Amino acid sequence: MSKRTHILLIFLGVLLLTSPLAAVGKEKNRVVWTKKPNSSTGLYTSKNYFVSHGVGGNVSALYYFGDVDNEGVAFHGGFNIHNLSLGGGLNFFYNLPISNHCNLRFSLMGGTIRGNNELKFSKLNPPRDDYRKFNAVLVQPAVGVQYYPFSNAGFYLYGGVAVAGSIITNYEFYYYPKKDAERKLLKGKTFGILPMVQLAIGYTWRLTNSWSMGLEVMIQEGLIDTHYMNLDAFPLAKSQNGDGVELGNSFGTYIDRYGKKHIHWNDGWFQVGLTVTYHWRNCEHCRIINNYSRIKPKRR
């Protein structure tokens, strides 16, 4: 596992442990009665509008990074238009009872992802022809904590964990069995299942009492990069192709065809997306009113 992945895990752990406790001391101020209760606001309002139950959808642009695009590091050789794709999904938000600053966020995402370093390799000096490319369909459930540090402000931090299923519909890997041998091509389709971490920052704008819109920037990175546990079919196991060829270095630092070691990032993607969410408050006020009605003395 790379040093970068360790840093992401430490940051995620701190966020998950500290965020739900950020406002425990303010629990007494959690319920504020409204002067005129109505169907939109209920009988109370939270101090932070954005901390509530909710359900919404999003659409995002995805930029893949991994072994098929580069020599182990995102944006190695510059921006690659062939790495862009689209995704979308559903979010469900649950307001943590102990905090006025956090929502639990459950997500289900789907989309496509792709990578291709043919153009990049053709511009090298001397040019290389042992390029790789792939196309895949993604399915990804996730859970995390969305933390709003400021009351009645839309800025938030998010940290979560996910499992991505990558259905690789096509891969093409050109390679040299030996340094002076003839170039060969492996083609096929396979799949990968990859545990991932998610880190994001975002901002939410209030549209009405019930609706909001948000912008979010996220990085998602795999926790491992080995056979059948990747996004792009690389490293490739012998059992994943009819020629019995193994490509890549499982659990290892990226090594190119000349035996040179490179800094390595596990597979992942950058994500920029828009979200629309419908909010509603929890039923704590219903419990309070019901309890009060039971003890209220009857008029004679």
Side-chain angles (χ1 to χ4, degrees), residues 5 8 11 45 52 81 112 119 123 158 175 215 217-218 251 261 287:
T5 302
L8 290 174
F11 180 85
T45 58
S52 65
I81 190 67
T112 61
L119 181 61
K123 293 181 178 180
Y158 170 82
Y175 73 104
L215 175 66
V217 179
M218 175 182 287
F251 295 102
K261 293 184 178 181
R287 178 181 58 80

Side-chain angles (χ1 to χ4, degrees), residues 131-133 170-175 183-189 233-234 236-238 240-247:
Y131 59 87
R132 303 181 291 272
K133 55 185 176 181
N170 176 60
Y171 67 80
E172 295 183 14
F173 299 159
Y174 289 88
Y175 73 104
R183 185 181 72 156
K184 292 189 175 183
L185 169 65
L186 285 179
K187 297 179 65 175
K189 55 185 179 180
F234 199 98
L236 186 73
K238 295 179 181 179
Q240 291 178 281
N241 63 89
D243 298 312
V245 174
E246 182 174 314
L247 292 178

Side-chain angles (χ1 to χ4, degrees), residues 42-43 50 56 62 99 120 142 153 159 173 180 187 234 240 259:
L43 294 176
F50 304 103
L62 312 181
S99 175
K120 181 185 299 183
F173 299 159
D180 298 323
K187 297 179 65 175
F234 199 98
Q240 291 178 281

